Amino acid sequence: MRRVAAVLVLIVAATAVVVIALGTSEEGGSYKVRAIFDNAGFVIPGEDVKVAGVKVGKIDAVELTDDFKAAVVLDITDEGYQDFRDDAECIVRPQSLIGERFVECELTQARPVGTEPPPKLAKIDDGPGKGQYLLPVDRTSKSVDLDLINNIMRRPVRERLSIILGDLGIGVAGRGKDLNEVIRRADPALKETDKVLKILADQNDALVRLAVDSDRILGPLARERRHVSGAIDNAGAVARATAEKGEALRADIERLPEFLRQLTPTMVRLGALSDEMTPVLSDLGAVAPDINRMIIELGPFAEAGIPALTSLGEAADRGTPAVRAALPVTKDLRNLAAVAKPVGANLRKLLESFQKTGGIERVMDYVFYQVAAINGFDSFGHYLRAGLIVNQCSNYAIQAVFGCSANFSQASATSAVAAARASGDPTLERTALALSGTPVTATKPHEKMQRASRHRRARKDARTAAVQPNATLTPQATATPAPAATPQQSTTDTLLDYLFGGDE
């Protein structure tokens, strides 16, 4: 029972919905056109309303207007045809030979593609036909019935027609010659007309295409008729200006062939250039999206760079006075660089020589072997090989001590020169003289030989003294005592004396 009751409830609900929907459809979908006809004979309600042979509704009512016209109310039920325009037309046509009628309508007239449609029919706001769309009498008509055409064979219509034809024959008979002449003269014209019609018939397809293309062309022109009229006015102004400059144009046209002859090589080169540019332009076309993306992304980059450029401008404003103030220092540095260039070149050569000959490595070898030579290692560990010297010369002193000949603080450039002479190397001797401020003079060959000999004897005596501690040096090996150094000797001279082997 519950299932049956549920089914009944569903059926009742569905019926109610259908009824409501139909009621809404009939009320909301109503579209009635009030067409005014001069003569609507034999038109009765319930007959069909057709558009292009398709039934779209029916005649709802036929009423008489105050001016004795027939108001035929057309109920258009097909929603696809509920759009009558201001240029719509309706005509009453016979449905069959028994006298039935129907109304055939056109919603709007044919128009070019793209043009705006006419406005909709005006809606009646008050009076008879309120809420209906009014189609005036000048947009309606009625076809001639067949029975009226057949009435010409009935009396008295037949007799009246015979009278009309008789009077026409009398009039023509009185002008027979003129009529024959007109026919003879009209014969060539008719023949030419036939030829024209035949040509038009042969060009029927072309004429159809011309009509269609004309509609397509004239449609945009009709929409832009103001611009077309403006173009025509501008063309008139151009023509007037051209007429005023006729002489100049004639001279230009006369010079045009020579200009074209000179232009031909340029155009040939431009053609070759375009052929060569085609691959480049093709590649540019391929990377155009990337270029667009890069240009788009340059916007945020440029915005982000604005603060940096602003700061750079501020720094430039503050740094300009500093740069201007540094110009004298820069000039001095430039002069120093010019003076130091030879020293730099010599230093570069020295460093290159050290690098090529392994000078740094040899110095490190010397340090290593020297340290290894003065140190030892036994079962207890490392120990320092050292000799304890206990005498009066082992104490530090800043003044000369009796019996001690070493006096580094009072060494002079003369001792350095003497040591350089004892070495027999002329370069060291000249260097020592230059450092001491003594003028350097050219050394004679025999002096060089004597100094070399003294140097060899000094080295031989040194080796002998190392083997025999009690041996005395020969007089020739003893260096010439240097003059006493002045108390004003500088630290630089002392260092140079040490480096170049000054006397101890």
Side-chain angles (χ1 to χ4, degrees):
M1 292 298 294
R2 292 181 179 177
R3 294 183 179 178
V4 174
V7 172
L8 291 176
V9 170
L10 291 175
I11 292 174
V12 172
T15 305
V17 171
V18 170
V19 171
I20 294 172
L22 291 176
T24 305
S25 174
E26 291 178 358
E27 182 178 357
S30 178
Y31 187 88
K32 294 183 179 181
V33 178
R34 188 178 184 84
I36 308 301
F37 288 88
D38 286 324
N39 185 2
F42 304 102
V43 176
I44 59 176
E47 296 294 342
D48 297 337
V49 178
K50 297 182 179 180
V51 175
V54 179
K55 181 181 177 180
V56 298
K58 63 181 180 179
I59 299 175
D60 185 66
V62 180
E63 300 174 359
L64 182 64
T65 63
D66 296 337
D67 55 352
F68 302 103
K69 303 290 184 181
V72 181
V73 180
L74 309 178
D75 185 9
I76 309 300
T77 58
D78 194 333
E79 296 181 358
Y81 295 90
Q82 295 179 354
D83 189 22
F84 277 65
R85 296 289 172 169
D86 192 41
D87 59 347
E89 291 183 354
C90 289
I91 183 172
V92 177
R93 295 186 182 277
Q95 180 77 11
S96 62
L97 296 177
I98 61 176
E100 295 180 355
R101 299 289 187 270
F102 75 97
V103 179
E104 184 175 14
C105 298
E106 292 184 9
L107 304 182
T108 183
Q109 302 299 319
R111 60 180 181 274
V113 178
T115 57
E116 295 292 333
K120 295 183 179 181
L121 287 178
K123 194 173 185 178
I124 301 174
D125 297 330
D126 193 10
K130 180 180 179 180
Q132 300 174 359
Y133 295 91
L134 179 62
L135 184 65
V137 68
D138 57 348
R139 308 301 300 176
T140 61
S141 60
K142 184 177 181 298
S143 62
V144 179
D145 296 333
L146 293 176
D147 55 347
L148 296 178
I149 297 176
N150 293 330
N151 284 339
I152 64 176
M153 303 304 296
R154 299 176 182 177
R155 300 174 72 178
V157 178
R158 180 178 62 186
E159 295 175 355
R160 294 173 181 174
L161 182 61
S162 64
I163 293 173
I164 293 173
L165 292 177
D167 293 341
L168 180 61
I170 293 171
V172 171
R175 303 294 299 272
K177 292 182 180 180
D178 297 337
L179 183 60
N180 291 333
E181 186 66 23
V182 170
I183 293 174
R184 283 196 301 270
R185 291 182 178 180
D187 185 49
L190 294 175
K191 289 182 179 180
E192 296 298 329
T193 304
D194 290 339
K195 292 179 181 180
V196 173
L197 294 176
K198 184 178 180 181
I199 293 172
L200 293 176
D202 294 337
Q203 301 294 330
N204 191 21
D205 295 337
L207 291 174
V208 171
R209 291 194 299 271
L210 176 62
V212 174
D213 295 340
S214 299
D215 291 338
R216 293 177 180 175
I217 295 172
L218 295 177
L221 291 178
R223 292 195 304 270
E224 303 293 337
R225 53 183 176 273
R226 294 182 180 178
H227 297 84
V228 173
S229 61
I232 293 174
D233 294 339
N234 294 332
V238 172
R240 288 192 297 271
T242 303
E244 294 174 359
K245 301 295 182 179
E247 295 296 333
L249 289 175
R250 187 179 298 106
D252 292 339
I253 292 173
E254 291 177 355
R255 291 192 294 268
L256 183 61
E258 182 64 24
F259 170 74
L260 293 177
R261 282 193 297 271
Q262 298 179 5
L263 183 63
T264 300
T266 304
M267 298 305 295
V268 172
R269 290 193 294 270
L270 285 176
L273 176 62
S274 63
D275 294 337
E276 295 177 356
M277 289 180 63
T278 300
V280 179
L281 296 178
S282 301
D283 296 339
L284 286 177
V287 300
D290 298 334
I291 296 175
N292 292 335
R293 191 182 310 108
M294 182 191 69
I295 293 174
I296 292 173
E297 292 177 355
L298 278 177
F301 174 76
E303 293 179 357
I306 290 175
L309 293 177
T310 304
S311 301
L312 182 60
E314 296 176 355
D317 293 338
R318 296 180 180 179
T320 300
V323 173
R324 290 177 179 173
L327 288 177
V329 179
T330 306
K331 293 179 180 178
D332 294 340
L333 288 175
R334 181 178 60 186
N335 297 332
L336 176 62
V339 174
K341 185 176 180 180
V343 179
N346 294 332
L347 182 60
R348 177 180 61 82
K349 294 178 181 179
L350 175 62
L351 295 177
E352 290 178 353
S353 176
F354 264 91
Q355 183 179 6
K356 293 178 180 179
T357 59
I360 300 297
E361 290 80 358
R362 303 290 78 79
V363 172
M364 299 304 294
D365 291 343
Y366 168 76
V367 174
F368 174 77
Y369 290 122
Q370 184 67 32
V371 172
I374 65 176
N375 286 278
F377 180 79
D378 58 7
S379 60
F380 296 100
H382 290 277
Y383 62 92
L384 177 64
R385 292 190 179 96
L388 180 61
I389 302 176
V390 181
N391 54 29
Q392 59 183 1
C393 296
S394 60
N395 297 326
Y396 177 77
I398 61 174
Q399 294 181 358
V401 179
F402 178 78
C404 297
S405 61
N407 189 6
F408 293 104
S409 60
Q410 299 297 325
S412 61
T414 307
S415 61
V417 174
R421 290 176 179 174
S423 64
D425 190 348
T427 302
L428 292 178
E429 181 180 355
R430 287 196 299 271
T431 304
L433 290 174
L435 292 174
S436 63
T438 305
V440 181
T441 56
T443 305
K444 297 181 180 181
H446 67 277
E447 293 180 355
K448 293 182 179 181
M449 294 176 64
Q450 292 177 359
R451 291 177 181 176
S453 178
R454 288 197 302 269
H455 177 64
R456 286 194 297 270
R457 286 195 299 269
R459 285 187 296 177
K460 183 177 179 180
D461 293 340
R463 288 195 297 270
T464 303
V467 177
Q468 299 176 1
N470 297 324
T472 58
L473 299 177
T474 59
Q476 292 81 3
T478 304
T480 304
T486 60
Q488 292 80 14
Q489 185 178 10
S490 65
T491 307
T492 303
D493 294 336
T494 304
L495 178 61
L496 292 176
D497 290 341
Y498 174 77
L499 292 176
F500 288 101
D503 295 335
E504 298 181 359

